[in-house]
Amino acid sequence: MTSSFLKSFFYSYLLLTLSVGSALAQNLNQNQQVKSFADGDYTAFKFDDSKKIVAGGKAWGVKIIKSSQQDGTGSPIVTELVLNRAGIIEENYKPDLPNHPAYFTGEGIRVMFFDGKLFYYAWKSAAAEIKYILVPNGGSVSGKHDEWKSKVENYQNTVLADQKNAREAIVSAKQAAENAEKLANSTQGKKVKALKVKWIATPSAWGHLSKLKYGIEAELADGKVLKTSNLGGKLPWDDFNIEVEGAEFGEEELTVWLDSDKIPTDKVQVTATAKHDGSIKTVAALDVPYTSAVKLNYGGGEGGRVNIYAMAGYRGGDGKNLIVNAISGKTQSGKSIIKVEIQDAGTGEVLNKLKLSPNTALSINVIGGNGSHGNENTKAGNGGNGGNVTLNQDPSVVGLNISVVNTGGVGGKNKDRPSMSGSAGSTGRYEVRKQAVSLSW
């Protein structure tokens, strides 16, 4: 199904649907009205203080810009109206609804073709305030101000009311076209020969929390290859059931788990199965090299912080006290790595299980949180203390690259009473112990 077919489908559908609504309309929309007008100079008229029609000065230039597309009535869509006001000031106006316009709008002014004339008016308090009436050169205007005002208001409101049908038809036609395009690019109703998962720009160094981009190709029995959008095609992602091991699922992008328990085979593996034929599937896997730097944050929070606000006089939180155990190990494929387990020193809870290639950086932040501000009656909060970190490193470990940041938080400031500013928190302790380590994983 080609692009030209889809466009033809869309406009044919729109023509059929809008024709029904237009037949019920009391007045023609602006695309239809414009058919009896042409570019050129228009004579300007206006109403004087006594509401009598008088000449409005120099002629105005009028240019009507049309699209090659048609609305539901078969009329060319007017995309822009250019007025050369009094032959001097150029003004541009756009349709309020291209497929069924009631008027053209600019800065505080509306323009409308109606009854062989062009009305230039403001819309204030649900009423028309006619500024000028323009007619092709040689034409004239007669009639009473209030009658023309009423006609403009009635015409505009009638077409606006009819726009509801037009808008609904546009939405329906757009949805129908999107569904048709989706089906044209789907494997539904087609014989699929094979599927392929393709990795896109895999990082040179990656591991825990890294992003991996991928796409899917479907080769059909006739040799045609359908591709997902990130591979340059329009193959719908919901054509497939996708299972992922070792990473968190996402269409187009996976995120490698931070927890080593969720990477049991040291691989990121994607299994894609065709929804419309469960017998067609493919598997793609990558060994995780664990070579990307990892940053962990167990710092104390800012004192008194609640969402975007900070209350006065609160102490910053303390950084967490940690025990870090490190031992050498191997991946499922036999690659040398370092296993790192991080525990809460107070409760013994295991917070992280990581695997790192030798010399891969691990940064641990346990800084104290900053104290909150003070005011005239409240002392500013003190900074929180940095956390204590104990590293137990097995003698087998080579290439461990850990940095710990455990400084104390900054004390809060008191602009009203500087003597009541907070104190900085203390720096935590970092101790490295070379000793035998045993881990259960």
Side-chain angles (χ1 to χ4, degrees), residues 16 31 38 53 65 98 134 139 194 204 247 316 345 411:
L16 175 64
N31 292 329
I53 294 176
I65 301 175
L134 309 176
S204 57

Side-chain angles (χ1 to χ4, degrees), residues 336-389:
S336 295
I337 46 94
I338 300 170
K339 295 182 178 181
V340 178
E341 183 176 272
I342 299 173
Q343 299 176 349
D344 184 317
T347 65
E349 177 189 1
V350 175
L351 303 176
N352 298 100
K353 293 180 180 179
L354 308 173
K355 293 180 180 179
L356 301 171
S357 181
N359 300 310
T360 297
L362 169 61
S363 175
I364 302 175
N365 172 20
V366 286
I367 64 173
N370 296 333
S372 68
H373 66 280
N375 54 37
E376 185 176 354
N377 301 313
T378 305
K379 182 181 182 298
N382 294 331
N385 297 325
N388 298 321
V389 177

